[in-house]
Amino acid sequence: MKKSFNLSRFDFVTLRLFCAVAQSGSITKGAETCHLALSAASRRLSDFESATGSQLLERSKKGVQLTPAGHLALQHCIRLFQGLERFNSELSDYSQGIRGHVRLWANMSSLTEYLPRILHDFLSSHADIVVELEEQLSGDIARALIDGIADIGVLANETPMDGLTVVPFQTNELVLLCHASHPLAKQKKVDFKTCLQYDFVGLNQGSSLLELTSRVAEKEGQHMHLRVQVRSFDAMCHMIAAGLGIGVLPLGACASQVQALKLKVVSLKDPWAQRQLAVAFNPKRALSPSAQLLLKALTPA
């Protein structure tokens, strides 16, 4: 029979202490953050480990590190505190007369190109609803929907979304951007295979756009020569303008930068360059009336 621990032995001071120690790598620093004496902090951590029946921290002269069980405990602690913050925020909204709260997670493409207009129209018609919008990677959005951290997600359609209800959203046109002096700048259209002989500027690991282009390169029996990786489309445009490589981006999300930085746009011949974005939600978690209204705004019939 699976053994469970006594939840009544946990308190938020201990859980916050554990998070502080895990993030700082030091019991002393964690104790200072939580305004506890070092001896009291050490006792709380020992009692916490005893209650869970697992070693959560590896102690050494250099500090502390999380064990595998400790990493799992930290994830749940963070989710717990996120839940408490949402609880406080949403109750505060109700006390101020705001009656709806929706957690919307979106990838960079949809956030920069489509959602500003949609949310403007939606919130103009529903002043009593607050939309908590977060920009996240598509894979993280799918996991957040499964875990109940987000209500609705807007993400790349090629993302694994088992267990979620998926509705088509918009189509992104992916194009190649390059400096005016680049050999490809004179082309009107090019296939991605031709591009693979040059250096690339790309997004950081975990980006669905990077995963898509890397997967296509592998199918061609090649790999992308990533010279620079950054966190945003704007940063990609600036790196391309500096002559550090070429990049594949959604045209609508970078149109202003193309003009400002005098970048060259080259159409991609490949069918996958017409990239589908999707709206997703977890059918096992009931959407609030406010979330249902937003879902309808994102997916008009």
Side-chain angles (χ1 to χ4, degrees):
M1 183 177 178
K2 186 177 181 180
K3 183 181 178 181
S4 61
F5 45 77
N6 187 355
L7 292 175
S8 65
R9 295 181 62 184
F10 292 84
D11 63 79
F12 290 112
V13 174
T14 299
L15 296 180
R16 193 172 292 280
L17 170 66
F18 174 70
C19 290
V21 169
Q23 291 166 356
S24 67
S26 166
I27 295 176
T28 301
K29 291 180 181 179
E32 290 174 353
T33 299
C34 297
H35 307 290
L36 293 170
L38 180 59
S39 58
S42 296
R43 186 171 60 254
R44 281 179 176 272
L45 292 171
S46 295
D47 290 345
F48 183 36
E49 288 181 308
S50 176
T52 62
S54 302
Q55 182 184 355
L56 305 178
L57 299 168
E58 289 182 351
R59 298 160 175 82
S60 69
K61 293 181 179 179
K62 295 182 179 180
V64 295
Q65 290 185 328
L66 291 173
T67 64
H71 280 287
L72 179 62
L74 179 62
Q75 292 176 18
H76 284 287
C77 286
I78 291 173
R79 288 176 182 172
L80 177 61
F81 284 117
Q82 286 175 338
L84 285 172
E85 289 173 1
R86 288 197 300 272
F87 172 71
N88 177 64
S89 175
E90 292 178 20
L91 282 186
S92 176
D93 287 343
Y94 273 93
S95 70
Q96 296 173 36
I98 300 172
R99 295 189 293 275
H101 195 111
V102 186
R103 298 163 297 172
L104 174 64
W105 283 28
N107 68 352
M108 196 185 307
S109 298
S110 60
L111 186 59
T112 55
E113 189 171 355
Y114 302 109
L115 289 180
R117 175 186 54 79
I118 294 174
L119 290 178
H120 174 270
D121 293 345
F122 176 77
L123 293 174
S124 296
S125 302
H126 301 89
D128 57 347
I129 296 176
V130 168
V131 177
E132 180 185 339
L133 178 61
E134 286 198 32
E135 179 192 318
Q136 296 287 347
L137 299 172
S138 290
D140 292 335
I141 295 171
R143 286 186 288 273
L145 293 171
I146 293 294
D147 293 340
I149 298 173
D151 299 313
I152 301 171
V154 184
L155 63 169
N157 195 52
E158 67 266 16
T159 308
M161 290 185 278
D162 293 343
L164 300 177
T165 297
V166 181
V167 183
F169 179 56
Q170 297 281 353
T171 300
N172 259 161
E173 181 188 358
L174 300 178
V175 297
L176 183 80
L177 294 190
C178 58
H179 189 273
S181 63
H182 195 275
L184 294 176
K186 295 180 180 180
Q187 302 291 327
K188 290 185 177 180
K189 285 191 175 184
V190 66
D191 57 77
F192 188 66
K193 185 176 181 179
T194 301
C195 303
L196 292 171
Q197 62 186 292
Y198 300 103
D199 289 334
F200 274 83
V201 174
L203 294 174
N204 286 335
Q205 295 298 327
S207 158
S208 59
L209 180 55
L210 178 61
E211 291 176 0
L212 171 62
T213 50
S214 297
R215 190 164 60 247
V216 173
E218 288 178 5
K219 289 182 179 178
E220 297 289 351
Q222 301 184 48
H223 69 278
M224 296 174 64
H225 300 277
L226 286 167
R227 193 173 185 189
V228 180
Q229 289 181 262
V230 293
R231 296 181 60 87
S232 69
F233 291 149
D234 281 354
M236 281 185 68
C237 290
H238 281 282
M239 296 300 105
I240 295 168
L244 295 176
I246 58 178
V248 175
L249 296 93
L251 179 59
C254 60
S256 60
Q257 290 283 35
V258 167
Q259 185 174 2
L261 298 173
K262 299 180 179 179
L263 299 174
K264 295 298 181 179
V265 178
V266 183
S267 297
L268 288 167
K269 298 178 181 179
D270 309 77
W272 55 262
Q274 299 299 314
R275 184 193 192 205
Q276 182 68 53
L277 298 176
V279 174
F281 62 93
N282 190 342
K284 296 181 180 178
R285 298 182 182 277
L287 291 176
S288 67
S290 298
Q292 291 178 29
L293 286 172
L294 180 56
L295 179 64
K296 185 176 180 180
L298 291 168
T299 57

